[in-house]
Amino acid sequence: MHDKTLAELARGLAAGDFSSRELTSSLLERIKRHDPALNSFITVTGEQAIKEAEAADALRHKGEAGILSGLPLAYKDIFCTEGVRTSAGSKMLDNFIAPYNATVVEKLRHAGTVSLGKTNMDEFAMGSSNENSYYGPVKNPWNPTLVPGGSSGGSAAAVAAGLVPAALGTDTGGSIRQPAAFCGITGLKPTYGRVSRYGMIAYASSLDQAGPMARTAEDCAMLMNAMAGHDARDSTSVSRNVPDYTQGLDKPLNGLKIGLPVEYFGEGLAPEVETAVREAVRVYESLGAQVIDVSLPHTSMAIPAYYVIAPAEASANLSRYDGVRFGYRCEDPVDLEDLYKRTRAEGFGDEVKRRILIGTHTLSEGFFDAYYRKAQQIRRLIRQDFLDAFARVDVLMGPAAPTTAFELGSRADPVQMYLQDIYTIAINLAGIPGISVPAGLVDNRPVGLQILGPHFGEAHLLNVAHVYQQATDWHQRRPEIKE
């Protein structure tokens, strides 16, 4: 059962081929057997999962089951889950038991899903390799010497390894799409405001967005039907009708206009990744699509702008962790100042401290206009680049990352790590949706094709991705894991 997609499992449950309890027990046993080598989970909620599975089976027996009833999934450990540790991958929150559920958790539980636990992640979602976790690095199932990507690396690795059919991640600058690419799965970053951020521990509030990670676009569409929608508790949530994302998945692509940003195929892109991406584009041409070269002229400014805006927002958001109200507290503080200093020095990891320092500096008197305001102006230019491009084409395509997965410990230079997000960061700055789908293997390392659409264009993106997956089998490839 671990090789089936979410949609296949849903059909199996509906047909009575197996029960949710049988499915859940099988996956929990698989996690117990294989996750010690991957470290993709921080917390496994086995007893709770069995109870939820039995409740789903009871509803199905009464004829009251929904599409997602009884389907197991996992949550990145950045979503608050009532009664379960929610750590954000940090020592600072290692002892934090969430008193409520995030909205997306609430919605998916209401839809009948079964939570198997919380997945590992870069601390406070800051990282591109999942090496910044207090709980240790996550290993890529395709090769345990490689990173899975980040910051949603635990979710990506768990899905790729068949430990869970789907998981939730968050994407602030590529943290769903890049690990999806590195692990050979499908990952969707929705339009900013399409999915509620309530109960999702904040990194950069104007950039963070929750999204599904699964084997296929069809699976992501099923999850989006439950996740998307307005939430009065999130002031950035958009009040807009939610379509049925599973409808229209098979719509033909005749006449589809695909834009290839010239900036995404230049210096820094590994030749083997470019070859795989261009081959994927040729598949689309064979399906009736038209390819047009376009330009996103401010692409080179995306990383500098992001690494002003995101750390500034992180500096403000993480100021709440002071050892007073919740989370880690240093031992025997001599006074309040000592409490603040030692709690934060001991509770945060190096990358989090680095970004807090950068953000605090850019927000300080005398630097706000020079850095933060200027970065926001650049952000507006980047957004306009995408609006201009979508006036000419229906979708944009390119690589999700400049390389395939790299070796653990090989990117010690923070700047080199930041450059991993060159093709994903601008999408968050503009607030548009993007999806990464498997598009090849290079030396047994997956390559991801990134597809971008205009604001609230998720349904069309899922259609474009799904038709490609019907014409190819890259999403069906699995890493070899000794049973």
Side-chain angles (χ1 to χ4, degrees):
M1 289 187 282
H2 67 272
D3 274 339
K4 294 183 181 295
T5 67
L6 200 68
E8 290 169 343
L9 291 171
R11 290 190 285 270
L13 285 170
D17 295 341
F18 45 83
S19 68
S20 178
R21 194 187 197 287
E22 290 170 333
L23 173 59
T24 300
S25 297
S26 172
L27 292 174
L28 287 171
E29 179 58 34
R30 188 169 172 79
I31 291 170
K32 182 179 179 180
R33 190 164 65 249
H34 294 295
D35 196 54
L38 298 174
N39 197 32
S40 65
F41 277 84
I42 291 175
T43 302
V44 178
T45 52
E47 290 185 10
Q48 175 185 312
I50 294 297
K51 289 178 181 178
E52 291 175 357
E54 290 174 343
D57 287 336
L59 284 175
R60 191 172 299 280
H61 183 70
K62 292 190 288 185
E64 299 175 4
I67 296 294
L68 296 178
S69 289
L71 291 174
L73 49 73
Y75 296 99
K76 182 178 181 177
D77 202 18
I78 201 167
F79 295 99
C80 285
T81 45
E82 185 178 2
V84 178
R85 175 173 59 175
T86 302
S87 72
S90 178
K91 179 180 180 179
M92 185 64 79
L93 291 177
D94 180 53
N95 64 356
F96 176 63
I97 306 299
Y100 65 96
N101 283 321
T103 295
V104 287
V105 174
E106 196 174 83
K107 285 188 168 190
L108 287 165
R109 289 191 67 179
H110 182 72
T113 62
V114 175
S115 174
L116 300 187
K118 312 292 288 293
T119 57
N120 205 343
M121 57 178 287
D122 282 301
E123 184 180 7
F124 284 101
M126 300 182 193
S128 303
S129 65
N130 221 136
E131 295 174 288
N132 295 332
S133 172
Y134 173 63
Y135 304 95
V138 177
K139 314 293 176 58
N140 192 317
W142 290 86
N143 182 337
T145 68
L146 304 178
V147 303
S151 62
S152 306
S155 292
V159 172
L163 306 185
V164 65
L168 259 62
T170 62
D171 194 312
T172 307
S175 290
I176 285 175
R177 291 158 289 148
Q178 186 247 28
F182 279 10
C183 290
I185 66 168
T186 303
L188 172 68
K189 178 257 172 210
T191 302
Y192 182 79
R194 177 81 285 187
V195 176
S196 173
R197 293 188 304 109
Y198 178 79
M200 192 173 89
I201 295 173
Y203 162 22
S205 300
S206 74
L207 301 164
D208 298 341
Q209 187 58 212
M213 305 177 77
R215 295 202 184 278
T216 68
E218 182 182 16
D219 292 352
C220 290
M222 292 170 61
L223 291 170
M224 279 294 290
N225 278 347
M227 294 168 57
H230 179 250
D231 179 11
R233 295 173 296 186
D234 175 8
S235 62
T236 63
S237 174
V238 177
S239 182
R240 185 181 176 119
N241 289 336
V242 179
D244 182 347
Y245 292 104
T246 60
Q247 294 295 316
L249 283 176
D250 294 310
K251 183 180 178 182
L253 301 184
N254 292 326
L256 177 74
K257 292 183 179 179
I258 297 172
L260 297 186
V262 294
E263 293 81 5
Y264 287 13
F265 293 90
E267 184 181 355
L269 177 61
E272 61 272 18
V273 173
E274 179 174 358
T275 298
V277 169
R278 290 195 181 276
E279 179 56 37
V281 172
R282 281 191 285 273
V283 172
Y284 278 104
E285 288 182 293
S286 72
L287 294 169
Q290 175 187 358
V291 176
I292 301 169
D293 286 336
V294 299
S295 178
L296 302 172
H298 297 96
T299 295
S300 63
M301 299 182 185
I303 286 182
Y306 176 91
Y307 280 103
V308 170
I309 294 169
E313 295 183 6
S315 171
N317 280 325
L318 271 61
S319 64
R320 70 194 68 179
Y321 304 111
D322 53 13
V324 175
R325 288 160 289 190
F326 52 81
Y328 177 76
R329 180 188 179 101
C330 70
E331 293 186 4
D332 303 320
V334 296
D335 55 27
L336 190 60
E337 183 176 350
D338 183 50
L339 169 67
Y340 290 161
K341 285 182 176 180
R342 286 204 290 122
T343 292
R344 291 170 68 81
E346 296 168 13
F348 290 135
D350 289 345
E351 183 60 31
V352 173
K353 292 175 187 174
R354 184 179 296 115
R355 298 195 193 194
I356 289 174
L357 287 170
I358 293 170
T360 303
H361 176 73
T362 58
L363 291 177
S364 59
E365 186 176 0
F367 295 102
F368 181 88
D369 287 339
Y371 292 111
Y372 188 76
R373 190 183 302 278
K374 184 63 67 177
Q376 291 288 18
Q377 291 169 345
I378 292 171
R379 181 181 193 171
R380 182 66 182 83
L381 296 174
I382 290 170
R383 180 178 183 274
Q384 190 61 48
D385 285 349
F386 283 108
L387 295 178
D388 293 343
F390 289 127
R392 297 181 56 204
V393 299
D394 300 311
V395 296
L396 298 172
M397 291 188 185
T403 67
T404 54
F406 47 88
E407 302 284 333
L408 286 158
S410 65
R411 303 288 172 93
D413 179 3
V415 175
Q416 288 300 311
M417 190 70 79
Y418 298 163
L419 292 173
Q420 268 296 312
D421 299 326
I422 181 65
Y423 304 128
T424 54
I425 275 177
I427 286 75
N428 298 80
L429 291 170
I432 63 173
I435 190 170
S436 176
V437 297
L441 286 171
V442 176
D443 296 328
N444 208 40
R445 302 183 188 195
V447 175
L449 169 70
Q450 182 175 217
I451 312 170
L452 310 174
H455 294 98
F456 302 101
E458 291 85 0
H460 191 215
L461 281 187
L462 289 163
N463 161 227
V464 172
H466 176 73
V467 173
Y468 173 75
Q469 291 181 333
Q470 298 306 295
T472 61
D473 68 350
W474 296 116
H475 63 289
Q476 297 174 352
R477 307 292 181 93
R478 304 284 188 265
E480 292 184 11
I481 298 177
K482 293 181 180 180
E483 298 299 331

